[in-house]
Amino acid sequence: MTELGDASQSILERLRLLREADAATHGGRVLSYVYDSGLPELDELAAEAMRLVQPVNGLDPTAFPSVAALERDVVGFARRMLHGDDDTVGSVTSGGTESCMLAVKTARDVWAAAQVSGDPATQPILALRPRIIAPSTVHAAFHKAAHYFGLDLDLVPVDATGRVDVDDLRTRFGPDVALVVVSAPSYPFGVLDPVAEVASAAARHGIPCHVDACIGGFALAWWGDLPPWDLAVPGVTSISADLHKYGYAPKGASVLLQRDRDRQRQQFFATARWPGYPVVNATLLGSKSAGALAAAWAIVQRLGDEGFANLVASCRRATQQLHTLIDNVVGLQVVGSPTGPLLAVETDTTVPKRMRVDPHHWADRVSELGFTLQLQPGFTQSNALTLPHTTHFTITPVTERMLPQLSDALTRAAADVRGKARANPRFAVQALRMSGALGRELTADKAQALLSRFGVGGKPNGSAGTATPLPAKMAPLIALVEQLPAEFAERLLIEVLARQVEPPATT
C-alpha cells in the first residue's frame, strides 16, 4: 500500500476532526440510523472489500463482470432467505428508498401496460392516476415514490397500536389500484402487518402486493415464531430488504426481489435513442459505486445463516429486556405488540398526570445521559384518530452488552422528567395564524427568520451560508412540527436541512 504524504495525512486529519462531531456509529449509544453488529472484524472486512472495488463503475456489468458476480451472490442469498423460488429475480439498490421507489415504478408500468392491452371497456381508467394503497404507517419512501412517479397514495388508518384492519384495506381496492403495500415490520411502531391476508385479498382482485421489509428483512428471517410474511406468501409480488440495516453492510445497499422475470423487466430503464452508448439501468442510478455491494457481499459470505441467526438472537434478547424494562417504568409503555428489533414508547395515560412521562422530554434527558433516541411526532389520520407521539428504539446486537448502562439512563431520565407537561407551542402557532404567515409562500430567508423565532439557528442575515443548528432539546421542535400545517412544517424542515450544506459567504 502506498504511504501517504504529509499533505494527504493533513487532509485525513481534518476529516477525523470533522467526524468527531458525528453521532457515534459504534458502541450502542445511538438507537436509530446505525446498525452495529458489535463485530469489528466485519468493519475491517467491509472496508477492504470496498477498497478492492473502489475504481469499479457498477453502471455496466459487461465491462466489470465482478459486479454481476457479486450481485448474483447477494440476490441469491436474499432469495433463499426470503423464500423465493427459481423464478424470483432481483437487484441490489442504493438503499431502501430506491428499492421502494423501484417497486412502485414497476407496479405503475405493469398497471399501465395492462390497461392498454386490456378490454376496451376499461380504457377510461387511463384517465385516472393509479393508486397505491397502504396503512398510514407505511414508510415515507412510498410518499416520495408516489410524488416522483405520479401515483396517488391512499393511506388507510391504523388503530392506536399501529395495526391495520384487512377489511379497511380491502374496501379501497379498485381497478385504478396499481399496488398495495404492507410492512414487515412498520418503522414507527414495529408492527408486522397482516401480510398473508392482505396479499390473498389483493391477488383475488388482481392487485400486486409489495412487502416493505427494508428494516426488518434481515432480522425477521431468523426471528422465529412468526406468521408468513415474505415470498412464501402467495400473492406477494415483490419484497425489499436492506443490507445496510440488519445485513450490517455500509450505506447504501438494499435488495429488491421480484416474483418473476417479466415483472422485474418492467423495473428497468433502457434507451438506444441517442448517439451514445446504449443505456440499460436496472436501478435509478447510472454510474454508481460498487463499494457497498462488495461490502455487503463480503459480510453475507462471512456471516452466512449461522452468523446472522446469532446476531438476531442477541437483538431479540435485548429487545425483550428493554420491552420489560420500559413497561415497568411508571408513566411509560411500549406501543402495542411490536415484532422484531423495533420499539416505540408512549406515555401511559392510565396513571395520574403527576406520574406520567412524556416520551419526548424523556428522550431529550436520555440524550443528556449519553444515549440518542429518536423522537416521533403524533400523527392525525384521515379518520381523525391521532396516533401517539412516541420515542423510537432501533435495537442492534451491540445493544445487549450496553443494557446495564442504557437501562440506568432510561430509568434515571424517566425519574427526572416524570410529571413534566409535554411541550406545547400553541401560542406561537396561534400568532403565526393571526399574522397570516401560514398562508404566505416562504422564501428561504423568510423561512430562516421563522426558524430563528422558534429557537432554531441564529439570527438570519440574509446571506448564503447561515447555519441552522438544531436546538439541544428536540421536544419543542417536534411539538411544533405536530401543530403546524404539514406543508408549512415541511417547508421549514427543508430550510433546516438545506442550510446545513450551504457554503459560507465569501465576503
Side-chain angles (χ1 to χ4, degrees), residues 222-226 309-322 340-341 395-397 400:
W222 288 275
W223 199 260
D225 306 321
L226 298 178
N310 289 337
L311 292 173
V312 169
S314 174
C315 289
R316 185 166 185 173
R317 290 191 298 268
T319 302
Q320 290 170 338
Q321 291 180 60
L322 279 173
I395 295 102
T396 65
E400 187 173 28

Side-chain angles (χ1 to χ4, degrees), residues 107-458:
R108 182 200 65 182
D109 290 357
V110 170
W111 176 87
Q115 307 308 314
V116 170
S117 61
D119 187 331
T122 68
Q123 295 308 297
I125 199 69
L126 286 172
L128 302 177
R129 284 161 55 101
R131 277 187 296 142
I132 307 167
I133 296 177
S136 64
T137 49
V138 75
H139 195 276
F142 290 93
H143 294 248
K144 187 174 184 178
H147 175 72
Y148 276 27
F149 296 137
L151 295 90
D152 290 323
L153 183 58
D154 189 356
L155 296 176
V156 179
V158 299
D159 67 18
T161 68
R163 298 199 172 274
V164 70
D165 188 298
V166 177
D167 288 337
D168 290 344
L169 281 165
R170 190 185 294 117
T171 59
R172 309 287 184 102
F173 290 172
D176 60 334
V177 177
L179 187 67
V180 61
V181 181
V182 284
S183 302
S186 67
Y187 186 91
F189 303 126
V191 170
L192 178 60
D193 285 336
V195 175
E197 295 91 335
V198 173
S200 176
R204 289 195 295 271
H205 287 78
I207 299 171
C209 177
H210 177 76
V211 176
D212 173 19
C214 284
I215 195 166
F218 277 82
L220 298 191
W222 288 275
W223 199 260
D225 306 321
L226 298 178
W229 58 272
D230 57 13
L231 287 167
V233 176
V236 170
T237 52
S238 57
I239 187 168
S240 50
D242 286 1
L243 293 147
H244 64 211
K245 292 188 171 74
Y246 289 97
Y248 309 108
K251 310 292 183 186
S254 175
V255 174
L256 171 63
L257 299 181
Q258 303 275 9
R259 173 72 74 176
D260 59 72
R261 293 176 179 84
D262 288 336
R263 183 172 189 84
Q264 194 232 14
R265 296 335 186 226
Q266 294 285 348
Q267 173 188 312
F268 279 67
F269 171 82
T271 184
R273 305 177 198 185
W274 75 308
Y277 61 95
V279 173
V280 182
N281 300 143
T283 60
L284 297 178
L285 301 182
S287 291
K288 56 186 177 182
S289 169
L293 167 62
W297 174 85
I299 289 171
V300 165
Q301 297 292 313
R302 177 65 181 83
L303 289 176
D305 291 80
E306 182 179 0
F308 278 113
N310 289 337
L311 292 173
V312 169
S314 174
C315 289
R316 185 166 185 173
R317 290 191 298 268
T319 302
Q320 290 170 338
Q321 291 180 60
L322 279 173
H323 194 151
T324 300
L325 170 76
I326 291 164
D327 279 345
N328 285 329
V329 172
V330 176
L332 289 173
Q333 63 184 10
V334 171
V335 178
S337 301
T339 298
L342 307 177
L343 298 175
V345 181
E346 64 178 335
T347 300
D348 181 1
T349 58
T350 66
V351 301
K353 287 186 178 181
R354 61 184 176 81
M355 300 300 293
R356 295 176 188 174
V357 177
D358 177 76
H360 288 180
H361 289 318
W362 179 58
D364 279 339
R365 179 63 182 131
V366 170
S367 178
E368 293 173 344
L369 296 174
F371 290 87
T372 302
L373 309 179
Q374 190 175 60
L375 285 67
Q376 299 184 137
F379 177 72
T380 301
Q381 304 175 99
S382 59
N383 64 352
L385 175 65
T386 297
L387 301 177
H389 69 297
T390 61
T391 291
H392 172 95
F393 285 72
T394 295
I395 295 102
T396 65
V398 76
T399 306
E400 187 173 28
R401 72 182 66 161
M402 295 296 293
L403 276 174
Q405 295 161 271
L406 175 60
S407 299
D408 180 65
L410 297 179
T411 52
R412 284 179 57 193
D416 290 345
V417 302
R418 185 170 286 114
K420 184 177 180 180
R422 67 176 298 193
N424 189 350
R426 63 180 180 274
F427 295 118
V429 175
Q430 287 174 0
L432 281 176
R433 287 198 172 97
M434 292 178 64
S435 70
L438 294 182
R440 293 196 294 266
E441 183 176 350
L442 289 179
T443 64
D445 286 343
K446 287 180 180 178
Q448 174 65 0
L450 283 174
L451 287 168
S452 297
R453 285 177 55 186
F454 295 133
V456 182

